[in-house]
Amino acid sequence: MSKIATATKRLLVGRPFRSDRLSHTLLPKRIALPIFASDALSSVAYAPEEIFLTLSVAGLSAYAYAPWIGVAVAVVMLVVVASYRQNVHAYPSGGGDYEVASTNLGGKFGLTVASALLVDYVLTVAVSTSSGVANIGSAIPFVAEHKVLCAVLIVVILTSMNLRGVRESGKTFAIPTYGFIIGILCMVAWGLFEALRGTPIRAESAGFQLHEETSLAGFAFFFLILRSFSSGAAALTGVEAISNGVPAFRKPKSKNAATTLLMMGVLAVTMLIGIITLAILTDVKFAEDPATQLAGAPAGYQQKTIVAQIAHAVFQNFSPAFYYISFVTGIILLLAANTAFNGFPVLASILAQDRYLPRQLHTRGDRLTFSNGILFLAAFALVLIFAFHAEVTKLIQLYIVGVFVSFTVSQAGMLRHWHRLLAHETEPGARRRMRRSQTVNAIGLTMTGTVLVIVLITKFLLGAWIAIAAMVAIYLLMTAIRRHYDRVAEELSALDGSAPTVLPSRNHAIVLVSKLHLPTLRAVAYAKAMRPDVLEAVTVNVDDAETRQLTAEWEAKGFKVPLKVIESPYREITRPVLDYVKRVRGDNPRDVVTVLIPEYVVGHWWEQLLHNQSALRLKGRLLFQPGVMVTSVPWQLESSAKALRRAARARPAAGDVRRGFFTDGAHRAGAGKDGGR
Amino acid sequence: MSKIATATKRLLVGRPFRSDRLSHTLLPKRIALPIFASDALSSVAYAPEEIFLTLSVAGLSAYAYAPWIGVAVAVVMLVVVASYRQNVHAYPSGGGDYEVASTNLGGKFGLTVASALLVDYVLTVAVSTSSGVANIGSAIPFVAEHKVLCAVLIVVILTSMNLRGVRESGKTFAIPTYGFIIGILCMVAWGLFEALRGTPIRAESAGFQLHEETSLAGFAFFFLILRSFSSGAAALTGVEAISNGVPAFRKPKSKNAATTLLMMGVLAVTMLIGIITLAILTDVKFAEDPATQLAGAPAGYQQKTIVAQIAHAVFQNFSPAFYYISFVTGIILLLAANTAFNGFPVLASILAQDRYLPRQLHTRGDRLTFSNGILFLAAFALVLIFAFHAEVTKLIQLYIVGVFVSFTVSQAGMLRHWHRLLAHETEPGARRRMRRSQTVNAIGLTMTGTVLVIVLITKFLLGAWIAIAAMVAIYLLMTAIRRHYDRVAEELSALDGSAPTVLPSRNHAIVLVSKLHLPTLRAVAYAKAMRPDVLEAVTVNVDDAETRQLTAEWEAKGFKVPLKVIESPYREITRPVLDYVKRVRGDNPRDVVTVLIPEYVVGHWWEQLLHNQSALRLKGRLLFQPGVMVTSVPWQLESSAKALRRAARARPAAGDVRRGFFTDGAHRAGAGKDGGR
């Protein structure tokens, strides 16, 4: 797998490069589009469906509104794209909405956006996977019959891939994404052509009747239209992705990013409208509960996704095309799910930098911590999939809130941004440009704000509240973490010019000795080199015989260093040493005690179980004693060489590509060096 | 709980003592008996039952042999006790069978005994718990109907108690053990008295008929008798316990231990014979499968344990006595199960000393490692309980092998022991005593050896093979561990007078700096005090802004120490530092690099997640580099004080009492000291 990835990388960005040629590894637009847009584009696979599905409640008559809703969504989409082009120019650092919000509106808003995005990552996984399964299921009945199972399997696979550190490579995205775009566009084109030629293209569900449970009228009906619209707004999810990925673009970064964003917007809108049109033309019936809502359906009718039904209708006597559409749709949806796994670390590292998340998330290669993040993501996504039986429709209700919260807040932020700039800008040309941008963002704000309100009103009880609750929880957690860091920072910056700056008056070095072997000798030799004021070796007598032998050997060796024996009636190690060290140091705050602990460095985890346990425990406890320094004097056992090689075999981390990191080559170089030793 | 324990201790061994008054805390015989003998005594609760149960196959006629089998078991018991009195005198160190075997017959035999004992500990838990449940079940139908559930619950409770470190206290053992002894003896006495008075005492099962499936004859019958005998031999389990506990006795240790052993033997035999006699007198019918084997039993007849049936018969119109017997029997059996949890650490620490188990098990207070041991014990016991539905009869089949393996081997060892002594002893009186002891052990050997063979023959297919397989597995594991330690020891003792003895030629100290705060200042100050040949501060540039700020502050502070900035294009920390350190050290094996890492010491695990992660990872990797020393310069955050207090609140470790450790007081003293800081 990673072999392929490497091959691809060579193909795309030339031979393995050195860290100093980082810029060479950046993404051309043709690759950036699939990598960042797969999420947004894939959402046109379920957005139209949701529109029809919601309308179906009000019966067939309501379907007439579908096109207008589609247009409304398209307009919002284009406005949002236009606004984000401003963001991309103004904030090329990849901070995205979070940065815009926090710099212009302050941390609280930034954190709100962050919480929203984190929740969205979880939902992206859940929704995309479920929809992907639904689409593949349209081609393979088995999958349709075991939706939840398949969805779970897919999440598990994605998780393990990202845990192992499979790198997003341009190709793995490019092929299915372009495959999807081309597929859908061809389908739309061919479908329209057929329609114009007057060929009757009818979906399999064309013949069914649609019960209208309750003939809605007046406000209720209007409400339904709004709800249908906010379901359709799901098409906008993932639009912001590019604004987080600017640094990965080739220069001129902002310009390229903006262009890519536009391409994406146009493509999305075209496909969306196209699909809705065909749905109308092919007379698709789509209901939330086919069994009860659709009359005339054959017994045990498995409702296919709208895309699948259209494909079926358009390519009626050419099934390969139908399968192609179903699969490519399924796959791009899974890619979309995977983007969440890669987007998370990026956002996490930015949040970590601002100390809202554990600091180490900011630096790369902390596989452990990222892994925890990935596992969280997967776990919550699985919970949702189980809870809502991998039903896209149910999950959608939670999805859109987060997206539009961040849209709205970031647009508000942009308004402020331009406002600030205009305050100092005098050059008329520049001012004009700024005014224009500001207007765009203003429109964006009103638009997204309205949608957000609509979404909240129409979906709150249907599940949006869950998403909101989650956001609040995350928000509180992150503020708590930040508060902790601040408290500590304050505690640590108390530079009252006291203790730490002045040199310790006396350094009393203690070498812990259990046996007289090479590690001990090394420790003693090293301790001497430290030229402490006092140097002594200390051993704990847990076994008289052994101790006697040790002291004898010690004498024989004729060290200049005295060996002191601490009694331990209860065969303990930690406590006697602690007590001794405390005694030695006395209460003079300016004295330090240096405890040197010879350690074996081993190659396997199970060896770790057999060695150093007492040492580790002791070290842990010693660190609690003021004025005590602990030095590990390592002795590399032969087996450790293996581990060194293992460690050198570094793997890529999730989200690398999005941050413009292509680290394989660099690591391999490093590995070579290590291996050499 | 531990409060009570302390109170008890004060009661028994006076006020909290200092470590230098250890001997004062040793056990008087009256307390030692219940602590060490509960296992052995409790086994008389199920041994007679097993005799009758096995015989029941051959029908009522076979019951006639029960008394003789009982006598045979009693004889073996007394012989074994006599032999172990020799062990106790010859090996007062508490090494028990393991020590006897390894010193006289060599490590292989020692290890065999050890494996046998370890397996036995698991079985002790399983059998005692199951039998305990059966006895309590005789009084409370609910328990009888949910045997497995109850047994599992009990094991779980015992485990958590021992994990938390509840100390065996004299009282907790004394009360139920003496309660049991007195109860059974009274029952026997009263029963016999009634019988002599001619009062008809009949068990509830007296009236039932016993089908004899197959009228066994000749060899088959003889075989059955043998099997019944080896089931009865279960009464001997736990006899060796005292020989492991000699150090915990008051002086003269050996003599007191020997006396206690004798008392135990006599008590056990009396109760065993007594119960068998009453079983015959009360005409008890006991079958493995009452439903099919017992005719005349009421529908849904719940077969009570023999002890319970006898109690019922003897105290017919006085039910409190019946309940008393049932409960006290149940409780002593649970105590017996608990002894396994306390016996394990003792054996483990001895095995660890000989490097057959992880070294740290030898020292006390490694709660973690012991906990793992306790969990293993519990896990395997639970597996057995599930696998055999908490059926004593089924479990017994696995039990006795291990016991008799260690009996036999240790007796063989004793023979050798005396043989060796006799070689050098000239004084006739002493020689005579030795000869006597030797004879005793010789008889012991033949006896236990024979029983072992009988057990193997009669039980191998019934389950003994499982126990044997387990022993082999453990044996192999322990030899593997030993081999590893030996290999390492060899690798480390290669004192070719090379590298480690000579002083490092140059010491290049590197202080890792992330921010300019107190921990950094302390680290720098300390580094200066080490007077290295070169001293520099190093920071990794993962964030340009922060780095710029840091360098500026550094200049401002006007340290004499230069601050070097390492670039990290991929926002890594570990690798760049590693590479730098490697470069600095160069290839001169006599140079050392000291890396000083400022560390925060925090009080809660979750704080640990927020700090030091990068530092820890880096440290781990640095240790793999030859010639690199890593020094942690701790900075205690305020919260760390809490943890210090927590840690000081030390708890007793399982098996303390058996090793003559009563550490509460000592710990409290220590805690006081810590708390003071």
Side-chain angles (χ1 to χ4, degrees):
Chain A
M1 178 63 218
S2 74
K3 256 216 196 58
I4 301 174
T6 320
T8 325
K9 201 192 66 245
R10 298 210 174 179
L11 210 89
L12 298 170
V13 298
R15 0 209 55 285
F17 47 81
R18 330 291 306 276
S19 32
D20 48 57
R21 283 176 42 220
L22 188 56
S23 59
H24 286 213
T25 66
L26 293 174
L27 299 170
K29 288 195 288 299
R30 70 175 187 289
I31 300 300
L33 179 68
I35 286 185
F36 291 109
S38 59
D39 183 4
L41 293 178
S42 67
S43 52
V44 303
Y46 47 81
E49 209 161 83
E50 294 306 319
I51 295 177
F52 282 98
L53 185 139
T54 318
L55 290 176
S56 68
V57 176
L60 196 52
S61 57
Y63 274 18
Y65 292 83
W68 305 114
I69 294 172
V71 171
V73 172
V75 172
V76 178
M77 167 78 88
L78 291 175
V79 170
V80 170
V81 165
S83 328
Y84 269 92
R85 282 162 56 82
Q86 312 306 324
N87 296 34
V88 167
H89 282 292
Y91 293 89
S93 60
D97 297 341
Y98 169 70
E99 187 184 1
V100 175
S102 31
T103 34
N104 296 302
L105 308 171
K108 282 190 167 38
F109 287 91
L111 215 49
T112 315
V113 172
S115 323
L117 289 175
L118 288 173
V119 172
D120 268 5
Y121 281 131
V122 177
L123 280 156
T124 306
V125 176
V127 172
S128 304
T129 314
S130 306
S131 175
V133 168
N135 277 282
I136 297 173
S138 306
I140 309 172
F142 175 87
V143 177
E145 287 148 20
H146 305 77
K147 264 202 221 142
V148 176
L149 175 67
C150 296
V152 170
L153 278 180
I154 288 167
V155 172
V156 170
I157 292 167
L158 287 177
T159 312
S160 49
M161 270 171 54
N162 283 286
L163 285 178
R164 278 197 59 261
V166 170
R167 238 261 315 292
E168 295 182 289
S169 84
K171 198 179 218 164
T172 47
F173 271 82
I175 295 168
T177 310
Y178 285 120
F180 173 74
I181 297 174
I182 293 163
I184 297 290
L185 292 182
C186 291
M187 180 177 79
V188 171
W190 181 252
L192 293 174
F193 173 70
E194 287 286 73
L196 295 177
R197 257 184 45 208
T199 335
I201 47 170
R202 299 177 52 69
E204 65 175 21
S205 58
F208 305 162
Q209 276 72 44
L210 195 58
H211 294 301
E212 50 189 285
E213 279 113 36
T214 55
S215 63
L216 298 168
F219 178 73
F221 187 73
F222 177 66
F223 190 79
L224 187 76
I225 300 293
L226 287 185
R227 175 179 291 167
S228 160
F229 165 76
S230 32
S231 296
L236 276 77
T237 56
V239 170
E240 77 292 348
I242 289 181
S243 68
N244 301 323
V246 186
F249 279 83
R250 285 211 183 143
K251 295 198 171 75
K253 295 172 180 292
S254 300
K255 195 172 159 309
N256 287 331
T259 321
T260 315
L261 196 51
L262 185 58
M263 285 155 60
M264 185 199 76
V266 173
L267 283 168
V269 168
T270 323
M271 295 195 280
L272 180 73
I273 298 295
I275 291 174
I276 292 178
T277 322
L278 281 181
I280 298 288
L281 286 176
T282 57
D283 206 352
V284 170
K285 306 283 185 309
F286 201 87
E288 181 161 8
D289 177 6
T292 65
Q293 286 179 263
L294 294 179
Y301 165 67
Q302 278 282 6
Q303 180 169 262
K304 294 199 179 69
T305 62
I306 283 194
V307 174
Q309 290 197 40
I310 294 173
H312 210 283
V314 172
F315 306 111
Q316 31 203 308
N317 23 23
F318 185 59
S319 62
F322 161 71
Y323 283 109
Y324 172 82
I325 295 286
S326 304
F327 282 115
V328 84
T329 312
I331 288 168
I332 195 181
L333 279 160
L334 302 194
L335 281 183
N338 191 51
T339 55
F341 285 101
N342 287 281
F344 164 78
V346 184
L347 179 57
S349 97
I350 297 169
L351 287 168
Q353 182 175 12
D354 295 352
R355 307 201 300 290
Y356 287 118
L357 287 180
R359 205 79 181 75
Q360 64 269 24
L361 280 166
H362 180 43
T363 59
R364 253 192 86 259
D366 187 333
R367 195 162 292 285
L368 181 67
T369 337
F370 275 138
S371 303
N372 294 341
I374 289 174
L375 288 173
F376 270 114
L377 200 60
F380 285 118
L382 285 176
V383 170
L384 289 175
I385 289 175
F386 277 116
F388 298 101
H389 312 93
E391 297 280 355
V392 180
T393 317
K394 297 219 180 64
L395 289 163
I396 285 280
Q397 315 303 334
L398 290 69
Y399 199 9
I400 314 142
V401 196
V403 185
F404 276 90
V405 166
S406 53
F407 283 167
T408 314
V409 177
S410 92
Q411 291 315 311
M414 287 306 288
L415 273 192
R416 264 290 196 71
H417 168 77
W418 298 123
H419 186 75
R420 272 216 328 286
L421 291 196
L422 282 162
H424 311 87
E425 184 58 67
T426 52
E427 198 272 299
R431 288 187 65 85
R432 215 177 306 107
R433 275 196 303 288
M434 290 184 181
R435 285 242 172 273
R436 205 190 314 107
S437 307
Q438 193 175 26
T439 335
V440 175
N441 290 121
I443 301 169
L445 174 60
T446 33
M447 193 72 93
T448 51
T450 329
V451 178
L452 177 57
V453 174
I454 295 176
V455 171
L456 281 175
I457 295 169
T458 56
K459 303 217 174 273
F460 188 83
L461 295 176
L462 292 176
W465 66 271
I466 301 173
I468 293 165
M471 288 178 209
V472 173
I474 295 174
Y475 182 99
L476 294 177
L477 175 64
M478 291 200 290
T479 39
I481 292 178
R482 172 60 180 265
R483 222 178 299 110
H484 171 81
Y485 276 124
D486 292 347
R487 200 169 54 248
V488 169
E490 194 189 325
E491 190 179 337
L492 294 182
S493 63
L495 294 177
D496 51 9
S498 70
T501 35
V502 297
L503 289 193
S505 49
R506 296 172 66 264
N507 180 6
H508 183 123
I510 297 176
V511 182
L512 284 187
V513 180
S514 62
K515 272 212 210 60
L516 186 53
H517 50 27
L518 296 173
T520 308
L521 296 177
R522 173 175 286 177
V524 172
Y526 174 72
K528 283 184 184 157
M530 275 181 18
R531 308 193 202 85
D533 302 278
V534 186
L535 169 56
E536 61 181 349
V538 162
T539 188
V540 179
N541 174 19
V542 288
D543 184 286
D544 292 324
E546 285 180 5
T547 310
R548 244 178 280 106
Q549 189 199 348
L550 172 63
T551 41
E553 288 177 4
W554 196 267
E555 296 313 320
K557 264 261 167 237
F559 287 120
K560 312 260 160 322
V561 185
L563 172 65
K564 186 175 256 103
V565 176
I566 311 179
E567 288 306 324
S568 169
Y570 302 127
R571 281 223 240 98
E572 287 180 295
I573 292 197
T574 314
R575 187 170 301 276
V577 173
L578 279 177
D579 295 345
Y580 180 72
V581 169
K582 268 187 245 149
R583 237 187 355 276
V584 164
R585 175 160 180 275
D587 296 331
N588 176 354
R590 295 197 43 203
D591 288 2
V592 293
V593 177
T594 307
V595 180
L596 296 102
I597 305 179
E599 275 182 35
Y600 309 152
V601 182
V602 294
H604 311 95
W605 63 269
W606 54 264
E607 287 179 300
Q608 201 45 259
L609 296 181
L610 300 177
H611 300 288
N612 300 335
Q613 291 308 314
S614 320
L616 277 173
R617 205 164 53 258
L618 177 59
K619 203 194 293 183
R621 289 298 307 281
L622 278 171
L623 291 178
F624 281 97
Q625 300 305 329
V628 177
M629 313 290 160
V630 183
T631 300
S632 314
V633 182
W635 181 273
Q636 293 80 13
L637 291 174
E638 277 145 16
S639 66
S640 72
K642 284 196 214 73
L644 198 55
R645 280 194 293 283
R646 256 205 313 285
R649 227 184 297 110
R651 291 162 300 171
D656 277 358
V657 178
R658 287 145 193 276
R659 282 181 288 182
F661 294 161
F662 285 70
T663 51
D664 277 16
H667 278 162
R668 201 163 306 97
K673 263 189 265 123
D674 292 4
R677 294 200 167 273
Chain B
M1 179 62 219
S2 73
K3 253 216 198 59
I4 300 172
T6 319
T8 323
K9 201 191 67 248
R10 297 209 176 180
L11 210 90
L12 298 169
V13 298
R15 358 209 59 283
F17 46 81
R18 332 289 305 278
S19 33
D20 47 55
R21 283 176 42 219
L22 188 56
S23 59
H24 285 212
T25 65
L26 293 175
L27 299 170
K29 290 196 287 296
R30 69 177 187 288
I31 300 300
L33 179 68
I35 286 186
F36 292 109
S38 60
D39 183 5
L41 294 178
S42 67
S43 50
V44 303
Y46 47 82
E49 207 163 86
E50 294 306 318
I51 296 178
F52 282 98
L53 186 140
T54 318
L55 290 175
S56 69
V57 176
L60 196 52
S61 57
Y63 273 18
Y65 293 83
W68 305 114
I69 296 173
V71 171
V73 172
V75 171
V76 178
M77 166 78 87
L78 292 176
V79 170
V80 170
V81 166
S83 329
Y84 269 92
R85 282 163 56 83
Q86 312 307 322
N87 295 33
V88 167
H89 281 294
Y91 293 91
S93 60
D97 297 342
Y98 170 70
E99 187 183 1
V100 175
S102 30
T103 31
N104 295 303
L105 309 171
K108 284 192 166 35
F109 286 90
L111 214 49
T112 316
V113 172
S115 323
L117 289 174
L118 287 174
V119 172
D120 268 5
Y121 281 132
V122 178
L123 281 156
T124 305
V125 176
V127 171
S128 304
T129 314
S130 306
S131 176
V133 169
N135 277 283
I136 297 172
S138 306
I140 309 172
F142 176 87
V143 176
E145 287 148 21
H146 304 79
K147 265 202 221 141
V148 177
L149 174 67
C150 297
V152 170
L153 278 180
I154 287 166
V155 172
V156 170
I157 292 167
L158 287 178
T159 311
S160 49
M161 270 170 53
N162 283 285
L163 285 178
R164 276 197 57 262
V166 170
R167 236 262 315 291
E168 294 182 291
S169 84
K171 200 178 216 165
T172 47
F173 271 82
I175 295 168
T177 310
Y178 285 121
F180 173 74
I181 298 174
I182 293 163
I184 296 289
L185 291 183
C186 292
M187 179 177 79
V188 171
W190 181 251
L192 293 175
F193 174 70
E194 287 286 75
L196 295 176
R197 256 185 45 208
T199 334
I201 46 170
R202 297 178 52 70
E204 63 174 24
S205 58
F208 307 162
Q209 278 73 45
L210 194 59
H211 295 300
E212 51 188 284
E213 279 113 38
T214 52
S215 63
L216 298 169
F219 177 74
F221 187 74
F222 177 64
F223 189 80
L224 186 76
I225 300 294
L226 285 185
R227 175 179 292 168
S228 162
F229 165 74
S230 34
S231 294
L236 277 76
T237 55
V239 169
E240 78 291 351
I242 288 180
S243 68
N244 301 323
V246 186
F249 279 83
R250 285 211 183 142
K251 296 199 172 72
K253 295 171 179 293
S254 301
K255 195 172 159 310
N256 287 332
T259 320
T260 316
L261 196 49
L262 187 56
M263 285 154 59
M264 184 199 77
V266 173
L267 282 169
V269 168
T270 323
M271 295 195 279
L272 181 74
I273 299 296
I275 291 174
I276 293 178
T277 322
L278 282 182
I280 297 289
L281 287 175
T282 57
D283 205 352
V284 170
K285 306 283 186 310
F286 202 86
E288 181 161 8
D289 178 5
T292 65
Q293 284 180 264
L294 294 179
Y301 165 68
Q302 278 282 5
Q303 180 170 264
K304 295 201 180 66
T305 61
I306 282 191
V307 173
Q309 291 196 38
I310 293 173
H312 210 282
V314 172
F315 305 111
Q316 31 202 303
N317 21 22
F318 185 59
S319 61
F322 161 71
Y323 284 110
Y324 172 81
I325 295 285
S326 305
F327 282 114
V328 84
T329 311
I331 287 168
I332 195 179
L333 280 161
L334 302 194
L335 280 183
N338 192 50
T339 55
F341 284 102
N342 287 280
F344 164 78
V346 184
L347 178 56
S349 98
I350 296 169
L351 288 169
Q353 180 176 12
D354 295 353
R355 306 201 302 290
Y356 287 119
L357 287 179
R359 203 79 180 78
Q360 64 269 25
L361 281 166
H362 180 42
T363 59
R364 255 190 86 260
D366 187 334
R367 194 162 292 286
L368 182 67
T369 339
F370 275 138
S371 304
N372 294 341
I374 289 174
L375 287 173
F376 269 113
L377 199 61
F380 284 117
L382 285 176
V383 170
L384 289 176
I385 289 175
F386 277 118
F388 297 102
H389 311 91
E391 297 281 356
V392 180
T393 318
K394 298 219 180 64
L395 288 163
I396 283 281
Q397 315 303 332
L398 289 70
Y399 199 10
I400 313 141
V401 196
V403 185
F404 276 90
V405 166
S406 53
F407 283 168
T408 314
V409 177
S410 93
Q411 291 316 311
M414 287 305 288
L415 273 194
R416 263 292 195 71
H417 169 77
W418 297 123
H419 186 75
R420 270 216 328 288
L421 292 196
L422 281 162
H424 310 87
E425 185 57 68
T426 51
E427 198 273 300
R431 289 186 65 83
R432 216 175 305 107
R433 276 195 302 287
M434 292 184 181
R435 284 242 172 273
R436 203 186 320 105
S437 308
Q438 194 175 26
T439 335
V440 175
N441 289 122
I443 301 169
L445 174 59
T446 32
M447 194 72 91
T448 52
T450 329
V451 178
L452 177 58
V453 175
I454 295 176
V455 170
L456 280 176
I457 295 172
T458 56
K459 302 211 172 279
F460 188 83
L461 294 177
L462 291 176
W465 67 271
I466 302 174
I468 292 165
M471 287 178 209
V472 174
I474 295 174
Y475 182 99
L476 294 177
L477 175 64
M478 291 200 291
T479 40
I481 293 179
R482 172 60 180 265
R483 222 179 299 109
H484 171 81
Y485 276 123
D486 291 348
R487 199 170 54 249
V488 169
E490 194 188 327
E491 190 179 336
L492 294 181
S493 63
L495 295 176
D496 52 8
S498 71
T501 35
V502 296
L503 289 193
S505 51
R506 295 173 66 263
N507 179 7
H508 184 123
I510 298 177
V511 181
L512 285 186
V513 179
S514 62
K515 271 210 213 60
L516 185 53
H517 49 28
L518 297 172
T520 310
L521 296 178
R522 173 176 286 176
V524 173
Y526 174 73
K528 282 184 185 160
M530 278 183 12
R531 308 191 204 87
D533 302 278
V534 186
L535 170 56
E536 62 180 349
V538 162
T539 188
V540 180
N541 175 20
V542 287
D543 184 284
D544 291 323
E546 285 179 5
T547 310
R548 242 178 280 107
Q549 189 198 348
L550 173 63
T551 41
E553 288 177 3
W554 195 268
E555 296 312 321
K557 264 267 166 231
F559 286 120
K560 312 262 161 320
V561 186
L563 173 65
K564 187 175 255 102
V565 175
I566 311 180
E567 288 306 323
S568 169
Y570 302 128
R571 280 222 242 99
E572 287 179 296
I573 292 199
T574 314
R575 187 170 300 276
V577 173
L578 279 176
D579 295 346
Y580 179 72
V581 168
K582 269 188 242 146
R583 246 198 334 287
V584 164
R585 175 158 182 277
D587 296 331
N588 177 353
R590 295 198 41 203
D591 289 1
V592 293
V593 177
T594 307
V595 181
L596 295 102
I597 304 178
E599 273 182 36
Y600 310 151
V601 181
V602 294
H604 312 95
W605 64 267
W606 54 265
E607 288 180 298
Q608 203 44 261
L609 296 181
L610 300 177
H611 300 289
N612 301 334
Q613 291 308 314
S614 321
L616 278 174
R617 204 165 53 261
L618 178 58
K619 203 194 292 183
R621 289 298 309 279
L622 279 171
L623 291 179
F624 282 97
Q625 300 306 328
V628 178
M629 312 290 160
V630 183
T631 300
S632 313
V633 182
W635 181 274
Q636 293 81 12
L637 291 174
E638 277 144 16
S639 66
S640 71
K642 283 197 215 74
L644 198 55
R645 280 194 293 282
R646 256 205 313 284
R649 229 183 296 114
R651 291 162 301 171
D656 276 358
V657 178
R658 287 147 193 275
R659 282 181 288 183
F661 293 160
F662 284 70
T663 52
D664 277 16
H667 278 160
R668 200 165 310 100
K673 265 187 263 122
D674 293 5
R677 294 202 168 274

